[in-house]
Amino acid sequence: MEAVKEHIQAKGEQAQLDLFQSTQKIIKEAVGYLGYSDGMYELLKEPIRMLTVRIPIRMDNGKTKVFTGYRAQHNDAVGPTKGGVRFHPEVNETEVKALSMWMSLKAGIVDLPYGGGKGGIICDPRVMSLGEIERLSRGYVRAISQIVGPTKDIPAPDVFTNAQIMAWMMDEYSHIREFDSPGFITGKPLVLGGSHGRETATAKGVTICIEEAARKTGLELKDARIIIQGFGNAGSFLAKFLKEKGARIVGISDAHGALYNVGGLDIDYLLERRDRFGSVTNLFHNRISNKELLEKECDILVPAAIANQLTADNAANIQASIIVEAANGPTTWEATEILSKRGILIIPDVLASAGGVTVSYFEWVQNNQGFYWTKEEVTDRMRDVLITSMNKVFATAEKHQVNMRLASYIVGIRKTAEAAHFRGWA
Ligand code: NAD
């Protein structure tokens, strides 16, 4: 059993390494298109800072357990770094590094005054008590407090972290610094300086990208058949918003498996029955596998769960005409090339899931000003930002005759590269 576990873990780490290396490869190409030197690529190919911490936590049984955590800061030439904190058993250094690089790209695409950052702790909050999760959240902040802060590096929620965890982290940081610091972290509850619309921002952003992609390809969203892999924060709100637009959600999935019905699934029922970790398919006997779901018939496929789902192994079998990536890193570079050659439109992760960081930025701006916006103001501003960004990426793909992923990287890395150049770093 242990050997099987180790084999699966090694396979996962190799996949992360492949993804990290292909990210470097695309950044290199993008830097080349922008006309920068090899020195610029050397600067941007890795995070400038990577902190590994070991956090001792008193567990409920009275014993101490030591957790490993990371914080990566890709580049701070533009401004403070920004990105979520992930609590997951499969977190590893390579993944956190890659995620911080994607955050720089996202911030560049939506034109925010940030560089990319990311954090993670190797843990499984599904089997921890709330008290243990609180102590771990506070311990992590104490461990990384020297390198984070409202003008240095601003964390946020990610997989298996939420507004309550952000509240504990903000409270711990405020104690350490001895002043109330809402701008230290985003994704907080509204009463602690959170922003309207933050919880649904990623899904709203993906919905806007889907509407735009459908418009550009002449697909009618009403009755369009949509598959969503993942039913967590991103996937479940997305299912709700798309259903409200009249689309037919024919497939959804979670870590236990998938449901598919060409006539459309009862999304309201599934939303009502899902647990707080985004699981619902375990309640059904007629589940299929995640792998099978991805290859089912649909118009739009939205990977909204984990990385490395569309690969050279299944790219030829995907039936969707549009893929919109809500998850980070769901498609390998090889799969991107196969799918693009097949004429499938891909709206890449660094663009499609940028709604979250955009509203996180709005939250930070509101905290800095002490002046809070309405839900409508947040939504309207996000829509403007995403549509402008999407048009920039489409125009770049057209200008350089490249696929949408490379075009996104060209748009995304430009701001960091320019800032680093002006500062005289490369
Ligand atoms: P979440 O933890 O709320 O939900 C994750 C979902 O994926 C759950 O339904 C879970 O059951 C499912 N899942 C887990 N392992 C799986 C597996 N092996 N196969 C299939 N499904 C599996 O996470 P989230 O916040 O919805 O994030 C999902 C993805 O979107 C991640 O890649 C995340 O980085 C990305 N993302 C999220 C946000 C955000 O604001 N929530 C922003 C940008 C990107």
Side-chain angles (χ1 to χ4, degrees):
M1 191 63 190
E2 264 320 291
V4 173
K5 239 167 128 181
E6 274 171 24
H7 174 69
I8 292 171
Q9 194 179 345
K11 239 177 111 181
E13 283 175 17
Q14 184 55 48
Q16 292 296 350
L17 187 62
D18 293 346
L19 211 51
F20 175 67
Q21 287 170 343
S22 76
T23 299
Q24 289 184 317
K25 199 177 122 194
I26 315 170
I27 287 182
K28 189 169 191 174
E29 270 202 63
V31 167
Y33 272 100
L34 292 168
Y36 287 106
S37 64
D38 289 351
M40 183 62 79
Y41 170 66
E42 282 302 308
L43 173 67
L44 300 177
K45 74 177 190 187
E46 292 255 355
I48 50 164
R49 206 168 288 112
M50 176 76 199
L51 182 65
T52 302
V53 293
R54 306 228 314 132
I55 314 157
I57 297 300
R58 181 65 52 88
M59 304 302 278
D60 290 349
N61 63 8
K63 292 191 178 152
T64 294
K65 190 167 173 188
V66 182
F67 293 86
T68 301
Y70 305 99
R71 186 74 197 170
Q73 298 171 347
H74 174 238
N75 195 285
D76 56 6
V78 169
T81 47
K82 174 115 195 63
V85 182
R86 180 173 288 201
F87 283 10
H88 199 275
E90 279 150 37
V91 161
N92 61 61
E93 193 177 326
T94 311
E95 179 188 60
V96 175
K97 275 163 62 172
L99 285 161
S100 76
M101 289 154 82
W102 296 334
M103 285 307 297
S104 280
L105 294 163
K106 281 189 206 190
I109 289 173
V110 289
D111 201 9
L112 307 181
Y114 292 141
K118 201 78 182 192
I121 303 179
I122 306 171
C123 66
D124 192 345
R126 291 167 295 189
V127 296
M128 293 167 71
S129 71
L130 277 183
E132 289 168 344
I133 296 173
E134 175 176 354
R135 292 193 289 280
L136 182 58
S137 306
R138 290 181 184 276
Y140 178 67
V141 171
R142 287 194 299 276
I144 63 166
S145 68
Q146 291 298 321
I147 66 159
V148 289
T151 55
K152 281 187 183 173
D153 181 12
I154 306 134
D158 193 72
V159 175
F160 291 166
T161 54
N162 56 23
Q164 173 61 78
I165 293 174
M166 300 305 109
W168 288 324
M169 290 187 173
M170 191 276 272
D171 185 62
E172 190 65 24
Y173 187 81
S174 299
H175 279 294
I176 295 169
R177 293 284 173 252
E178 296 185 334
F179 59 83
D180 197 41
S181 316
F184 157 63
I185 205 161
T186 58
K188 301 176 293 293
L190 272 183
V191 290
L192 291 180
S195 176
H196 281 294
R198 174 60 188 91
E199 199 188 13
T200 55
T202 301
K204 272 251 159 72
V206 178
T207 308
I208 293 166
C209 289
I210 288 177
E211 285 177 303
E212 281 301 292
R215 205 177 52 77
K216 281 189 194 297
T217 55
L219 175 76
E220 187 66 54
L221 200 53
K222 193 173 170 335
D223 250 354
R225 298 159 306 163
I226 303 191
I227 289 178
I228 303 172
Q229 185 198 31
F231 210 54
N233 174 285
S236 66
F237 281 121
L238 180 65
K240 179 173 177 294
F241 297 149
L242 291 173
K243 187 195 155 234
E244 285 165 3
K245 303 227 168 265
R248 199 168 3 131
I249 314 298
V250 293
I252 62 115
S253 77
D254 57 32
H256 304 279
L259 302 173
Y260 181 83
N261 183 337
V262 79
L265 297 167
D266 184 348
I267 291 302
D268 292 334
Y269 178 75
L270 295 171
L271 288 171
E272 203 184 289
R273 300 299 307 274
R274 74 186 266 276
D275 70 16
R276 68 193 172 96
F277 293 108
S279 293
V280 70
T281 68
N282 48 331
L283 304 176
F284 296 84
H285 291 300
N286 57 343
R287 299 196 291 280
I288 57 171
S289 69
N290 266 280
K291 189 172 174 297
E292 287 171 291
L293 180 70
L294 296 172
E295 299 180 11
K296 288 278 186 200
E297 209 173 296
C298 66
D299 300 304
I300 303 176
L301 173 62
V302 186
I306 54 166
N308 279 313
Q309 296 303 291
L310 305 176
T311 66
D313 292 339
N314 62 3
N317 305 333
I318 302 302
Q319 303 201 44
S321 56
I322 302 174
I323 295 171
V324 182
E325 298 176 343
N328 283 305
T331 312
T332 65
W333 179 247
E334 293 72 30
T336 300
E337 290 190 314
I338 297 169
L339 294 162
S340 302
K341 276 191 194 125
R342 290 183 54 209
I344 297 172
L345 173 63
I346 302 176
I347 308 298
D349 48 4
V350 287
L351 169 61
S353 70
V357 70
T358 304
V359 177
S360 269
Y361 164 65
F362 294 164
E363 181 174 333
W364 180 76
V365 168
Q366 293 170 73
N367 294 151
N368 290 345
Q369 295 185 328
F371 177 71
Y372 289 85
W373 308 352
T374 62
K375 197 171 174 179
E376 290 68 33
E377 282 173 300
V378 171
T379 309
D380 290 350
R381 286 192 166 123
M382 179 176 72
R383 174 176 288 279
D384 286 350
V385 167
L386 283 180
I387 292 180
T388 305
S389 308
M390 215 166 156
N391 287 336
K392 264 194 279 182
V393 173
F394 270 108
T396 304
E398 184 68 30
K399 178 177 163 195
H400 294 295
Q401 288 297 303
V402 296
N403 67 43
M404 288 288 283
R405 191 172 316 281
L406 180 52
S408 302
Y409 275 55
I410 295 172
V411 175
I413 210 67
R414 181 196 300 267
K415 193 169 181 179
T416 304
E418 240 174 72
H421 184 67
F422 273 122
R423 282 179 187 262
W425 293 358

